């Protein structure tokens, strides 16, 4: 059976003349986007490696965009718009996690065919991932030295490093709602990684013990838990994919590879929100 060609005459409203109009490809800048996959080896599977990482970086760009908006909304006590943005972040995270399933089709033998072409380049150096970590509150100053080569990029990360995280914004929202939060936490030195405070724990306990009264703050807490949960699942899939492809070799960027990735699984961004689950 032969398939019929589409008859555009039956759809007269479809635009076919773009002599003076912008096309889909032009709007998305597809010429630049699709010409950015430049293999450094002749190996077929290097294309997979490049595309997976570029797609993940695009999703991270959107996460940063949504997180910035959510932080601003929380700071303005406009929690409903923040919920929408944070829900979107969680959905994006599921897409990035699934990308590891595609990358895991790369076998050790195939990767070894072009791994040396990466030099010292590594996902460890992803500045967008570091920006996301900073926005979630994990502040590590030694990371900034990686980006000294690019002054503009270093400045972006320096600002994110010193800016309040989304959890700082949430703690300040608790304070504005009347909870007796330790005042040292309000407008604190945001470049220091937050590790926990009894007054914050007590406030979240009150929220969870009286959900009807504090429904918006309760929703905010659960949205944050969603994001951390998905991030840890991303980290776990990252670690297992690396182990599957290169075992316990050192990473191209000089890290201990799988051993390093296992260590970061122990970090918690929102400690009180996890601890209260045991204490409720």
């Amino acid at each position: 059976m032969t398939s019929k060609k589409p008859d555009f005459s039956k759809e007269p409203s479809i635009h076919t003349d773009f002599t003076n109009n912008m096309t889909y490809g032009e709007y998305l800048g597809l010429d630049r986007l699709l010409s950015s996959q430049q293999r450094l080896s002749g190996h077929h599977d290097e294309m997979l490696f490049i595309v997976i990482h570029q797609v993940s970086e695009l999703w991270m760009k959107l996460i940063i965009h949504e997180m910035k908006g959510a932080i601003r909304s929380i700071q303005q006590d406009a929690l409903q718009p923040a919920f929408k943005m944070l829900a979107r972040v969680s959905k994006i995270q599921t897409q990035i996690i699934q990308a590891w399933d595609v990358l895991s089709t790369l076998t050790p033998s195939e990767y070894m065919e072009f791994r040396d072409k990466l030099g010292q380049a590594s996902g460890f150096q992803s500045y967008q991932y570091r920006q996301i970590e900073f926005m979630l509150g994990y502040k590590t100053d030694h990371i900034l030295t990686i980006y000294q080569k690019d002054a503009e990029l270093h400045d972006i990360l320096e600002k994110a490093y010193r800016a309040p995280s989304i959890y700082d914004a949430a703690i300040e929202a608790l304070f504005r709602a009347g909870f007796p939060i330790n005042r040292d936490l309000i407008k604190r030195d945001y470049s220091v990684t937050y590790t926990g405070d009894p007054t914050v724990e007590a406030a979240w306990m009150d929220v969870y013990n009286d959900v009807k009264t504090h429904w918006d703050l309760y929703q905010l807490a659960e949205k944050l838990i969603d994001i951390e949960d998905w991030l840890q699942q991303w980290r776990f899939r990252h670690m297992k994919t690396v182990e599957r492809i290169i075992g316990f070799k050192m990473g191209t960027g000089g890290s201990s590879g799988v051993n390093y990735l296992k260590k970061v699984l122990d970090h918690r961004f929102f400690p009180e929100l996890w601890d209260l689950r045991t204490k409720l």
Side-chain angles (χ1 to χ4, degrees):
M1 182 183 293
T2 58
S3 60
K4 293 182 179 180
K5 294 182 179 180
D7 185 357
F8 289 133
S9 66
K10 295 180 179 178
E11 295 282 350
S13 62
I14 291 178
H15 295 286
T16 57
D17 183 0
F18 288 91
T19 305
N20 298 309
N21 294 297
M22 179 176 64
T23 65
Y24 168 82
E26 290 168 341
Y27 172 69
L28 294 177
L30 290 182
D31 283 349
R32 297 190 304 276
L33 184 65
L34 298 179
S35 63
S36 297
Q37 296 74 46
Q38 300 295 324
R39 288 182 294 165
L40 298 181
S41 73
H43 197 275
H44 174 85
D45 292 310
E46 189 183 355
M47 182 64 75
L48 162 69
F49 191 82
I50 294 171
V51 169
I52 286 294
H53 287 85
Q54 287 185 343
V55 168
S56 294
E57 290 291 338
L58 284 172
W59 280 129
M60 283 191 275
K61 181 174 183 176
L62 185 54
I63 286 175
I64 292 167
H65 176 72
E66 299 296 338
M67 289 280 289
K68 284 181 177 178
I71 290 172
R72 285 194 300 268
S73 292
I74 295 167
Q75 290 171 331
Q76 297 165 6
D77 291 320
L79 296 186
Q80 290 299 324
F83 297 157
K84 176 62 181 293
M85 296 171 197
L86 295 177
R88 182 174 292 160
V89 169
S90 293
K91 291 296 185 181
I92 297 167
Q93 288 175 296
T94 66
Q95 296 298 308
I96 297 180
I97 291 169
Q98 289 176 358
W100 294 121
D101 294 337
V102 183
L103 186 58
S104 65
T105 65
L106 182 69
T107 69
S109 298
E110 291 162 349
Y111 184 46
M112 287 304 109
E113 291 290 331
F114 62 86
R115 187 179 190 237
D116 63 314
K117 299 297 183 182
L118 274 62
Q120 294 179 324
S122 165
F124 182 84
Q125 299 147 14
S126 168
Y127 67 87
Q128 290 199 122
Y129 177 73
R130 297 305 174 185
Q131 196 171 350
I132 291 170
E133 282 192 330
F134 289 171
M135 295 174 81
L136 291 174
Y138 186 44
K139 306 295 181 75
T140 46
D141 58 354
H142 67 278
I143 290 296
L144 293 174
T145 61
I146 297 173
Y147 309 99
Q148 289 177 340
K149 177 180 178 180
D150 187 326
E152 183 178 353
L153 180 55
H154 187 273
D155 183 59
I156 291 171
L157 286 167
E158 177 80 23
K159 288 178 180 176
Y161 174 69
R162 301 198 179 280
S165 71
I166 195 164
Y167 200 49
D168 288 315
I171 290 171
E172 290 167 13
L174 288 170
F175 177 76
R176 291 192 300 273
F179 290 96
I181 300 296
N182 179 359
R183 287 183 175 270
D184 290 342
L185 298 178
I186 308 306
K187 308 303 180 186
R188 68 185 185 89
D189 180 357
Y190 299 123
S191 68
V192 178
T193 298
Y194 177 81
T195 56
D197 185 274
T199 63
V200 174
E201 180 178 299
W204 285 126
M205 286 291 289
D206 288 345
V207 168
Y208 274 75
N209 280 317
D210 190 357
V211 171
K212 290 183 180 179
T213 301
H214 307 296
W215 179 253
D216 280 355
L217 290 168
Y218 170 70
Q219 279 190 290
L220 174 59
E222 287 298 299
K223 288 289 188 290
L224 294 178
I225 283 291
D226 285 343
I227 288 173
E228 180 164 350
D229 189 349
W230 283 115
L231 183 68
Q232 294 292 49
Q233 291 187 52
W234 181 91
R235 282 174 161 178
F236 179 78
R237 289 294 295 123
H238 183 190
M239 181 268 292
K240 293 306 293 184
T241 302
V242 170
E243 183 178 1
R244 175 172 176 156
I245 296 175
I246 67 168
F248 285 80
K249 292 185 182 72
M250 181 179 287
T252 51
S255 76
S256 58
V258 169
N259 287 325
Y260 170 81
L261 296 173
K262 284 184 175 180
K263 289 177 185 177
V264 298
L265 283 171
D266 292 331
H267 177 76
R268 297 190 303 171
F269 295 94
F270 317 129
E272 292 90 357
L273 295 181
W274 292 104
D275 289 342
L276 67 80
R277 280 154 164 76
T278 302
K279 297 176 181 179
L280 273 174

